[in-house]
Amino acid sequence: MEETMKDYEKELEASFRKISEGDVISGTVIDVNEEEVTLDLKYYTQGIIKAEDMSNDPGFSVLADVHVGDVIEATVVRMDDGQGNILLSKKEATAVLAWDVLTKYMEEKTDINVKVGETVNAGVVAYVEGIRGFIPASQLALSYVENTEEYMGKKLTVRVITVDREKEKLVLSAKEILREQAKEEHDHKVAMIVPGTVLEGIVESLQPYGAFVDLKDGLSGLVHISQICERRIKKPSEVLKVGDKVKVKVLNTNDGKISLSIKAATQEQEAEEVESFDTKQFSSDESVGTSLGDIFKKLGL
């Protein structure tokens, strides 16, 4: 009985509810067809949105993108569509509400999934919250994209970087997300390198303070000028040139950066050669003598 009273109270409240043209109201989808979407407005009559009033996005499909149970915000266009229903427009509501949502997306750096629907001069177009957004060719990838046609119909994850409600300007970027992903991948690779490991690389550039060595797999490290050789040098070009193959020892991998030493790798290699030489000197199929004379003889003293 209590539940019946509550239901009655809701119906009574709905009957007193005042809806006017221009209001933005919310409703639940109860039916979808090619021509229109029907909403339950918790009112004495239903709301109707014509398919052409759903979205400005040319890639939008009322049958594919709208489902029973979805909650939609729409603007009241007419209180009676001629059949006793309230005529609504989601396009108009989007124009009112979307810019606030887009501003929030920008402030919170929200990742948004979009589909490229059009290529234009120096970029592509994708819709977010029903608003036409521009993705410049410089923001599609980590480097400038010459042929934007390749992105037609492609799904991208983007962020809002510019919102201008007055000029109806919305600019999106995939580059910022890709840059973060690349840094994360790079830092993971760096973290997998064990300090003390000796690697081989190629000198890719020389700077006054040291040499950058390409370690392959997208990684490079710095050999500080003090770690290039034993003797003191004024500039790396005294002993190195771009393209040289070098062995380097990993000193540390702090903050995603790799510190290397050619000097330490050389010292380690020399120590191994000495050890190898000593082992050969004292290895023989004959029994090893134990007298001092035998040892001095082996050493050539």
Side-chain angles (χ1 to χ4, degrees):
M1 184 67 180
E2 188 180 337
E3 286 182 6
T4 307
M5 282 299 292
K6 282 184 179 177
D7 290 341
Y8 174 73
E9 285 172 12
K10 286 179 182 176
E11 288 177 15
L12 189 63
E13 187 181 329
S15 69
F16 283 112
R17 184 181 173 198
K18 184 170 175 58
I19 294 177
S20 305
E21 290 182 9
D23 288 352
V24 175
I25 59 175
S26 180
T28 304
V29 177
I30 54 176
D31 186 55
V32 184
N33 59 52
E34 289 182 355
E35 295 180 353
E36 60 190 29
V37 176
T38 305
L39 302 182
D40 175 10
L41 303 174
K42 297 286 187 284
Y43 200 55
Y44 68 84
T45 188
Q46 297 172 340
I48 298 292
I49 307 175
K50 297 295 182 184
E52 60 269 22
D53 290 323
M54 281 295 299
S55 175
N56 284 315
D57 186 347
F60 176 84
S61 166
V62 69
L63 293 177
D65 298 330
V66 182
H67 309 92
V68 172
D70 288 352
V71 175
I72 292 177
E73 288 183 296
T75 300
V76 177
V77 178
R78 280 205 313 270
M79 288 303 295
D80 190 337
D81 66 348
Q83 296 181 359
N85 300 306
I86 296 176
L87 187 65
L88 304 165
S89 171
K90 187 176 186 302
K91 276 185 184 179
E92 288 192 25
T94 296
V96 174
L97 302 170
W99 292 103
D100 289 335
V101 174
L102 293 169
T103 300
K104 188 178 179 184
Y105 284 164
M106 182 175 66
E107 290 170 350
E108 296 181 356
K109 294 188 175 182
T110 305
D111 291 358
I112 310 157
N113 295 317
V114 299
K115 185 177 179 180
V116 175
E118 184 186 348
T119 60
V120 292
N121 185 32
V124 300
V125 169
Y127 283 77
V128 182
E129 299 295 322
I131 300 295
R132 188 176 188 270
F134 175 59
I135 310 175
S138 61
Q139 298 296 322
L140 277 169
L142 290 173
S143 56
Y144 187 88
V145 175
E146 293 288 348
N147 184 14
T148 57
E149 291 288 341
E150 295 174 355
Y151 282 79
M152 186 62 192
K154 193 174 181 181
K155 291 182 179 178
L156 301 173
T157 303
V158 298
R159 284 186 190 153
V160 176
I161 58 172
T162 302
V163 174
D164 190 330
R165 189 191 305 243
E166 289 182 9
K167 294 181 181 177
E168 295 189 349
K169 182 181 178 183
L170 172 64
V171 183
L172 310 170
S173 171
K175 188 173 184 175
E176 189 176 336
I177 297 170
L178 293 172
R179 190 186 285 130
E180 288 176 6
Q181 290 173 346
K183 185 181 185 306
E184 193 176 316
E185 187 179 335
H186 173 271
D187 289 352
H188 176 69
K189 287 179 184 176
V190 170
M192 296 300 287
I193 297 176
V194 180
T197 306
V198 174
L199 304 169
E200 195 170 81
I202 296 172
V203 176
E204 60 181 0
S205 72
L206 298 175
Q207 304 296 331
Y209 50 85
F212 283 96
V213 176
D214 178 12
L215 302 172
K216 296 180 181 178
D217 199 22
L219 297 178
S220 65
L222 173 66
V223 182
H224 189 266
I225 191 168
S226 64
Q227 293 297 322
I228 290 176
C229 59
E230 290 281 1
R231 67 185 178 86
R232 197 183 182 110
I233 56 175
K234 290 184 178 179
K235 52 185 179 180
S237 57
E238 288 179 29
V239 291
L240 291 173
K241 64 181 184 295
V242 172
D244 281 352
K245 270 189 179 181
V246 291
K247 283 193 175 179
V248 291
K249 186 172 184 176
V250 179
L251 299 180
N252 62 65
T253 56
N254 297 334
D255 301 321
K257 296 176 182 176
I258 307 171
S259 294
L260 305 169
S261 173
I262 296 174
K263 182 169 73 175
T266 304
Q267 289 171 345
E268 190 164 307
Q269 186 175 356
E270 288 173 351
E272 285 175 0
E273 286 172 0
V274 169
E275 189 178 339
S276 174
F277 174 76
D278 286 350
T279 304
K280 284 177 184 174
Q281 284 293 308
F282 290 100
S283 294
S284 170
D285 290 336
E286 301 171 4
S287 59
V288 179
T290 56
S291 69
L292 281 173
D294 287 333
I295 292 172
F296 289 144
K297 188 178 178 183
K298 294 279 184 185
L299 291 170
L301 298 173

